[in-house]
Amino acid sequence: MPAWEPPSGYRIPAWLRPPETMIPGIVPVELLVARTDTHAVLVSDLRAYPTGLEFAVVARPHPDQLHRPRHDPGRPRHPRYRDLWMELRFADGRTVSTDSRRWPRTFETTQPDPPFLYYHGAGGSERGWRSPHWLWGLPPPGPLAFVCRWPAGQQPASGVEIDARLVLEAADRATAVWPAERSPA
Amino acid sequence: MSFFEPLPAPRPPSDYRVSAWARGPEGMVPGVVPVALLVARTSTHAVLIDGLLVYPTGFDFDLVVRRHPGQPRHHPDPRGWHELRLEVRFADGRSADNGPGRWPRPHRDKPPDPPWLYQSVSGPDGGHVWLWGLPPPGPLTFACRWPAEQIPPSQAELDAGLVLAAAARATSLWPDPGPS
């Protein structure tokens, strides 16, 4: 058997991921974007860099939902978390979304103009679901809204607004892991 | 049992739940510690602690590995990333670590004495960690060592007051409605 060789050196393009050689600035908020009697959607783990903002969209059921057997006909139908879309609205009127129909067709090979919102898949179960997101490009000063939508109309759109200054100040706190680096990689 | 005898009544599937002390409370929004901590750094690798999310019962955080550009992500020995050892030390001397064989044996409903550390995710880029129990005031130390990547014993400190303040900010996702 030939010796094991590591995978090829493919790297996700810089505009689709946080810089790998930087320590992020932590945005000091957890955002409740949507809540019903049975489920909640949060924006969590916000980490800012000079090139953009990383965050996770987290969906959770009410703990009582986890006690109800799956076959219970009275158990409310839960929204399909994987159908959830996230939209960010900036103070200058621009919006970005994880609706892939709005993405430029060449986004994987050609750097798009910021802002661009990308997500790196998702995982979980009916006990909870998590999807890492990356915003390429920082928001302008002013209100920054996080809005979640279910395209199938399972739940109404819901959102929360923060001051983008929290993100911009956190981005200023980001530092290089190896200070001799001249630009984030 | 013959083919003609009635089958026993179906039993609903068991509803296994992770013990409350092995995870953050499911119905709470955590408080955020606005700090990312550099614990170790060599010319090729760095180990960070970030994503500290705090609840009244403990805190989650990410153990993050960063590689200098050009360093391979996959170690020739696939067990290499298992050797990244992490220890969290409280100001009063108590500590917990991600060493092997630390899963407590007592009954599932009996929590271990805090602090107790559980790394739920582990891989070449680090992992996700839950620490059961809140630290007392004073220095909170994160220490690591990673022989497979030539990272010597290294540590960094955080003021536990930041963690305790974040715990105070944690809120319930579904607050009790109170008496009507």
Side-chain angles (χ1 to χ4, degrees), chain B residues 118-177:
Chain B
Y118 174 51
Q119 185 165 346
S120 58
V121 175
S122 182
D125 296 327
H128 189 74
V129 182
W130 162 254
L131 191 102
W132 163 251
L134 289 177
L140 175 64
T141 304
F142 295 83
C144 77
R145 58 184 172 86
W146 196 359
E149 298 293 358
Q150 290 81 51
I151 293 181
S154 311
Q155 65 182 48
E157 279 183 4
L158 184 67
D159 180 357
L162 294 174
V163 174
L164 297 171
R169 293 192 295 271
T171 58
S172 177
L173 270 170
W174 291 276
D176 288 334

Side-chain angles (χ1 to χ4, degrees), chain A residues 145-156:
Chain A
F146 294 79
V147 181
C148 68
R149 299 177 178 278
W150 269 273
Q154 299 167 41
Q155 300 287 337

